[in-house]
Amino acid sequence: VIGVTDPMKGELPLGFVVLKSGVTRSEEEIVQEVIALVRERIGPVAAFKTSVVVKRLPKTRSGKILRGTMQKIADSAEYKVPATIDDPAILDEIEAAIADAAETQRRWVDENLLSPLGRALRGVARAATPGARNDALFDRLAAIEVRLERIERALAMRDDWF
């Protein structure tokens, strides 16, 4: 687990999970289980909501995990490849895993929050045409209000750090 810079909270935890060979469960299922386990054992104060499955972690030749380098990668900061790294190609794998997680996060927000809101707004525009009944317009506005509340709750829960 590393801390990723967040403008609102300072830092948010980002977990990296390395699976044992022979695991047949889906990565998404394992990530959700890890997040639930941390929230259950440590509590919501941990703010642990994002985890990424990777094949391996970058280590020095003596076996220490390069957390500082991983944190710089996650923060999109400039970093130097440490001279003591065991295999520099691992850093590219970490970058790709973080990019994939960011894309998944963006897709989730678009599919579950932004697209439904856009459809609701188009419905309001259609209902607001001249001659439309006012109660239909109010029904559409009420539906939008419910969706906006869901969006606010969902975003508060996910703490989008990407």
Side-chain angles (χ1 to χ4, degrees):
V1 176
I2 61 171
V4 179
T5 302
D6 179 70
M8 183 178 283
K9 294 188 177 185
E11 281 190 346
L12 291 174
L14 168 62
F16 291 89
V17 178
V18 179
L19 302 178
K20 291 183 177 181
S21 61
V23 174
T24 57
R25 294 172 49 202
S26 75
E27 290 182 3
E28 181 62 29
E29 180 183 349
I30 292 170
V31 165
Q32 292 305 317
E33 187 176 324
V34 167
I35 291 170
L37 187 63
V38 170
R39 290 184 65 80
E40 175 188 318
R41 298 235 173 122
I42 297 175
V45 71
F48 184 68
K49 297 176 180 124
T50 309
S51 190
V52 178
V53 175
V54 294
K55 293 179 183 175
R56 54 196 178 145
L57 294 171
K59 296 181 181 182
T60 63
R61 287 188 285 275
S62 63
K64 294 180 182 176
I65 296 172
L66 298 170
R67 287 184 179 87
T69 305
M70 291 169 61
Q71 186 172 9
K72 288 178 182 175
I73 291 171
D75 287 337
S76 299
E78 215 172 291
Y79 66 92
K80 293 181 181 179
V81 176
T84 58
I85 191 168
D86 187 36
D87 182 3
I90 298 173
L91 297 179
D92 293 332
E93 294 172 15
I94 296 294
E95 283 184 42
I98 290 172
D100 287 347
E103 181 56 33
T104 300
Q105 183 82 4
R106 281 192 222 37
R107 202 170 33 252
W108 184 92
V109 168
D110 185 53
E111 291 171 1
N112 294 287
L113 304 177
L114 301 179
S115 294
L117 180 60
R119 286 192 298 272
L121 289 173
R122 284 190 294 279
V124 167
R126 283 192 299 274
T129 56
R133 294 181 33 206
N134 284 336
D135 54 346
L137 180 60
F138 288 122
D139 288 345
R140 293 282 187 178
L141 289 173
I144 288 175
E145 187 174 22
V146 168
R147 288 177 193 251
L148 286 173
E149 288 172 3
R150 286 182 190 160
I151 289 170
E152 289 172 354
R153 284 194 307 269
L155 289 176
M157 289 173 44
R158 293 190 67 90
D159 281 326
D160 183 13
W161 57 269
F162 294 102

